Amino acid sequence: MKRISLRGLTLVRSAVTLAVAALLSVLVTVPASAADPVGSITGLAGKCVDVAAASNANGTPVQLYDCNGSGAQQWTVAGDGTLRALGKCLDITERGTANGSTVQLWDCGGGANQKWVVSAANDIVNPAADKCLDVTGNTSANGARLQIWTCTGAPNQKWNAPRGGSTPPSNPGSFIVSEAQFNQMFPSRNSFYSYSGLVAALGAYPGFAKTGSDTVKRQEAAAFLANVNHETGGLVHVVEQNTANYPHYCDPNQSYGCPAGQAAYYGRGPIQLSWNFNYKAAGDSLGIDLLNNPWLVQNDSSVAWKTGLWYWNTQSGPGTMTPHNAMVNGAGFGQTIRSINGSLECDGRNPAQVQSRINAYQRFVQILGTTPGNNLSC
């Protein structure tokens, strides 16, 4: 969709994000905090993730076993992304990323093979391998070795782990993103962009974030919110900030003209809807007269969210597919960028803005407890 977004602000935000990422990349693993949640991790048949023989020697296998309350079954979900027992970390043997790579106990070293995300869907994911903690052989027998495997959503990959306050389970009957997760994504958001407004808008597009596997659902939600984050400066701006552009969004060649006024069709809402023809098309689709009353998009939170979802689910813009189809059919996050603003950003035109969107997406999938998938850039 052709429009002007917050270019200068985005470039600054991108530079800050990259600088922070560079700093974080050199930090070592920090000790677990007393505030980190601690407890047993249960799986198949209610059995516990257990360190064999309660040994804290490097290389000790991690297995499934009857729960007994011992220290070998007490895991700390540390703030640095590690899972710890007996003073050491859950570790993928030989830094493996292939299906069947076993897990063990090892000194905490900060490697990617010791990083885990406990998801709202009760998966435990290693983002580096893009795989889930899994019980070998899908058996609940004592001593069954744990491994990593492609995430399938099967019972032998489901775990009940201790949880902190920042990532509670999402409501399965509502949006796959919980309100707490939404607030974590947008800590400085404008109150106009309410979670309740977003949830109220979801009924207009029931396939959104409810198509495919749990991983795909979370990836689509994260992808939509990451692009929205970029367009609005973190859900801060409701309307386009450059007022000099306002008169430019009236296409007089349309038979219906611009009944709300020459300067009435500027960017509004989470996807920065602009141009008279887009207000007309979105309004017709949603059953709302946005051509004559475009101000609804900046005055009604649910209407604003609906316009964003309209574009996401029905428009391909300068791309070849809708952003929704890009995510549910495996084309990847990069194709959502192309469909939203590819004519100005993709194919090397503005890599900093592309990276800004990617950075937000990677952060959001981590909050949602899943992995980003492939083809992140355009």
Side-chain angles (χ1 to χ4, degrees), residues 147-167:
Q147 60 181 5
I148 58 169
W149 199 270
T150 301
C151 299
T152 64
N156 65 320
Q157 294 183 352
K158 295 299 181 183
W159 308 95
N160 292 309
R163 292 185 182 273
S166 61
T167 56

Side-chain angles (χ1 to χ4, degrees), residues 37-50 63-65 67 73-77 83 90 117-125 133-135 146 154-164 167-170:
V38 181
S40 60
I41 300 175
T42 57
L44 283 175
K47 294 193 175 183
C48 282
V49 175
D50 176 277
Q63 61 187 7
L64 204 66
Y65 209 84
C67 296
Q73 297 179 354
Q74 295 300 299
W75 294 89
T76 298
V77 182
L83 297 176
L90 183 67
V117 174
V118 181
S119 84
N122 294 330
D123 304 309
I124 297 180
V125 182
L133 187 66
D134 175 286
V135 183
L146 302 190
N156 65 320
Q157 294 183 352
K158 295 299 181 183
W159 308 95
N160 292 309
R163 292 185 182 273
T167 56
S170 58

Side-chain angles (χ1 to χ4, degrees), residues 311-316 320-327 335 339:
Y311 190 86
W312 184 267
N313 287 277
T314 70
Q315 304 298 299
S316 59
T320 59
M321 64 191 78
T322 67
H324 170 73
N325 285 339
M327 296 307 298
Q335 289 303 313
S339 296

